[in-house]
Amino acid sequence: MGNSYIGRQPIVNERGALVAYDLFYSGQSDNTHATEALINDLQSAFGMDRILGKRFGFIRADYPFIFHELLNLLPKERIVYALMEEITVDDALSLQLKKLVAQGYRFALNDFAFSAESREKFSPLFPYLEFVKIDISRSRRIKREDVEHLQKQGMVVIGSKIESHDIHAECVAKGFSYFQGYFISKPRILENPSFSLDQAAVMQLWNMLQREAEIDELVKAFEMNHMVSLKLIRFINSAVFSLRNPVSSIRHILTLMGREPLSRWIMLLMFSEAQQSDQNRIPLMLMVVNRTELMVKLLELIVPSPSKQQSATAYFVGMLSLIHLLFNIPHREVLKKLNVAPEIERALFEGDGFYGELLTMVRSIEILDVEAMERFLTHHKLEYASLEPIIASAMEKVNQFDAAMG
């Protein structure tokens, strides 16, 4: 099919708070053309605000692009141009960067393998770089004094391609400021896992909704958990949901919204609260919003008028695929406490059935696995044009939650 796809990966600080996005573009082998295509999407099909929300973004740039007029098309304060590792370092490049930095443009060095040789190669550019991204998979011998040396020259040091929480901890100890990699989507299993009081209470309420407890029983259960009720009401009244009138009570929520939306928001509340209470946690809330939004929209693409049950199943498969990250305990143990149906477990662990197929596609979108994405489109006789607005819509939804969470 030969389509090009846009993707983004979060960059977080030491506390796990989202700082920026690294933007990816597939489908082009030539770096300059790929950057041109990405800029076109930032300006048109997707839009800057849809892709970045209130954050800034990193875009890869090669030697020709630094001298190209296209660089002037995007707002300086929203974009950092990350120089490719293979870039030629010469006087012309240094002079061009000096001129552009004076005009307010921002630059980084992208994913380079740290060594004495590479530091020497790029040192003429250091005065013009705001960030330096170090590929941890190729730089495990970097020392704290090396990081401090870069920081003293005015650069924020980012560790990229971090694949585990142990490596992330090493990078924290070495003084890195920001972090990027797939450790974000991997759980940290604790030796003596336990549910906090709030998590257990919220989980109990969710199970009551799933077994269709009577409204009086539900209201009483919420009233016994005052903090949960207050947080839920505040969350539902946020700009995310755009309610016409404020919701003031749990009974009001049940009457106005119904059990299914409340079940969804209760689970989102668990992710939201866990993120706020654990300073080292990656922003799970935004990952959950992205995944559930993609699951439901893909369902609607294939089944134009899905039933409420189909939409609910798609949503919860997406959400439950990440819930083990919330509790830091084995995935199946969490699902057992939530009384999850066997077919949902098979979708989660084996990619079995229709919902397993949807989840596999969502994961492919998240890591920009183009071959897998195009196999899915071909299998369902879909065009890329139908996928693009779904990805953009999910990004926009994530940005809305990001803004609502402050």
Side-chain angles (χ1 to χ4, degrees):
M1 297 173 68
N3 295 310
S4 296
Y5 300 89
I6 191 170
R8 63 183 187 180
Q9 189 175 51
I11 296 173
V12 301
N13 64 16
E14 184 179 343
R15 295 180 295 104
L18 179 61
V19 175
Y21 286 111
D22 192 11
L23 303 182
F24 300 89
Y25 207 84
S26 70
Q28 296 281 1
S29 58
D30 181 274
N31 288 325
T32 299
H33 290 164
T35 305
E36 289 175 2
L38 177 54
I39 289 175
N40 179 66
D41 270 355
L42 282 167
Q43 290 188 307
S44 56
F46 281 76
M48 179 74 73
D49 289 337
R50 266 186 163 180
I51 292 180
L52 293 177
K54 63 180 181 180
R55 310 299 175 179
F56 64 93
F58 287 78
I59 294 178
R60 287 156 180 71
D62 61 7
Y63 190 97
F65 182 79
I66 295 300
F67 295 87
H68 202 292
E69 61 184 10
L70 279 171
L71 185 140
N72 304 315
L73 295 179
L74 298 178
K76 304 169 187 176
E77 69 278 3
R78 304 296 308 278
I79 297 297
V80 176
Y81 293 102
L83 306 176
M84 306 294 288
E85 184 178 23
E86 60 270 20
I87 200 166
T88 300
V89 178
D90 57 19
D91 290 342
L93 180 64
S94 295
L95 288 172
Q96 179 70 352
L97 291 179
K98 182 178 181 179
K99 180 179 74 173
L100 292 171
V101 167
Q103 295 173 10
Y105 290 93
R106 308 169 72 188
F107 296 95
L109 183 57
N110 187 72
D111 290 355
F112 82 107
F114 184 88
S115 66
E117 293 77 14
S118 61
R119 187 169 68 180
E120 182 179 355
K121 172 187 174 180
F122 293 112
S123 59
L125 307 182
F126 286 170
Y128 317 116
L129 301 179
E130 186 176 344
F131 303 90
V132 55
K133 291 175 64 180
I134 295 175
D135 183 343
I136 296 301
S137 66
R138 297 185 292 145
S139 310
R140 294 298 299 276
R141 293 187 177 181
I142 188 171
K143 300 176 182 177
R144 185 178 182 90
E145 49 263 39
D146 297 323
V147 174
E148 291 174 347
H149 176 77
L150 296 170
Q151 291 169 333
K152 286 176 182 177
Q153 296 184 67
M155 291 175 283
V156 175
V157 183
I158 304 172
S160 70
K161 298 186 180 178
I162 301 173
E163 299 299 319
S164 72
H165 290 284
D166 288 341
I167 296 175
H168 171 251
E170 288 180 21
C171 291
V172 171
K174 291 175 181 178
F176 284 76
S177 299
Y178 295 158
F179 312 89
Q180 177 187 354
Y182 292 113
F183 78 100
I184 288 172
S185 59
K186 294 180 178 180
R188 291 173 295 163
I189 305 302
L190 304 182
E191 290 184 6
N192 298 301
S194 61
F195 295 99
S196 73
L197 205 57
D198 276 354
Q199 290 168 338
V202 175
M203 188 175 290
Q204 179 188 15
L205 293 170
W206 188 82
N207 279 326
M208 289 177 68
L209 285 165
Q210 297 310 297
R211 64 176 172 81
E212 300 186 353
E214 294 293 331
I215 187 169
D216 288 342
E217 184 184 357
L218 280 168
V219 171
K220 184 177 180 180
F222 273 100
E223 287 175 348
M224 292 175 64
N225 294 279
H226 302 289
M227 191 59 66
V228 172
S229 297
L230 288 172
K231 289 175 180 176
L232 183 62
I233 291 170
R234 187 184 307 122
F235 187 55
I236 289 175
N237 282 330
S238 72
V240 171
F241 302 106
S242 303
L243 298 181
R244 188 170 298 176
N245 298 305
V247 173
S248 57
S249 70
I250 297 301
R251 189 178 293 274
H252 188 187
I253 292 172
L254 280 168
T255 303
L256 185 64
M257 300 296 170
R259 294 169 184 266
E260 189 59 44
L262 182 56
S263 295
R264 295 184 182 189
W265 296 335
I266 283 178
M267 194 69 76
L268 284 174
L269 181 67
M270 278 200 290
F271 279 91
S272 175
E273 288 304 309
Q275 175 178 304
Q276 293 174 22
S277 64
D278 183 352
Q279 291 190 330
N280 293 319
R281 187 176 297 282
I282 300 304
L284 286 177
M285 183 73 161
L286 303 183
M287 295 175 64
V288 172
V289 172
N290 184 68
R291 188 167 286 193
T292 53
E293 185 75 6
L294 286 173
M295 285 289 294
V296 173
K297 293 298 183 183
L298 285 173
L299 168 69
E300 293 171 354
L301 188 61
I302 298 169
V303 183
S305 299
S307 67
K308 289 184 178 179
Q309 183 58 48
Q310 287 174 313
S311 295
T313 302
Y315 181 93
F316 281 115
V317 167
M319 176 170 282
L320 294 172
S321 67
L322 290 167
I323 197 165
H324 59 306
L325 302 178
L326 171 63
F327 294 115
N328 294 324
I329 65 176
H331 207 165
R332 290 188 188 274
E333 186 174 337
V334 183
L335 299 183
K336 183 178 180 181
K337 291 180 180 292
L338 290 172
N339 301 316
V340 170
E343 57 268 28
I344 292 183
E345 279 204 46
R346 290 195 295 272
L348 291 168
F349 294 110
E350 282 83 46
D352 188 36
F354 177 60
Y355 297 101
E357 183 186 8
L358 291 183
L359 181 59
T360 300
M361 176 58 172
V362 168
R363 286 169 168 156
S364 298
I365 292 171
E366 289 174 344
I367 64 173
L368 215 59
D369 183 342
V370 173
E371 291 184 4
M373 292 165 66
E374 298 199 346
R375 282 197 302 271
F376 178 91
L377 293 175
T378 301
H379 176 69
H380 290 284
K381 298 181 173 59
L382 299 170
E383 297 295 329
Y384 165 67
S386 64
L387 184 62
E388 187 177 78
I390 288 174
I391 297 175
S393 173
M395 288 182 176
E396 191 170 29
K397 192 76 170 180
V398 168
N399 296 336
Q400 290 172 357
F401 271 81
D402 188 17
M405 293 167 67

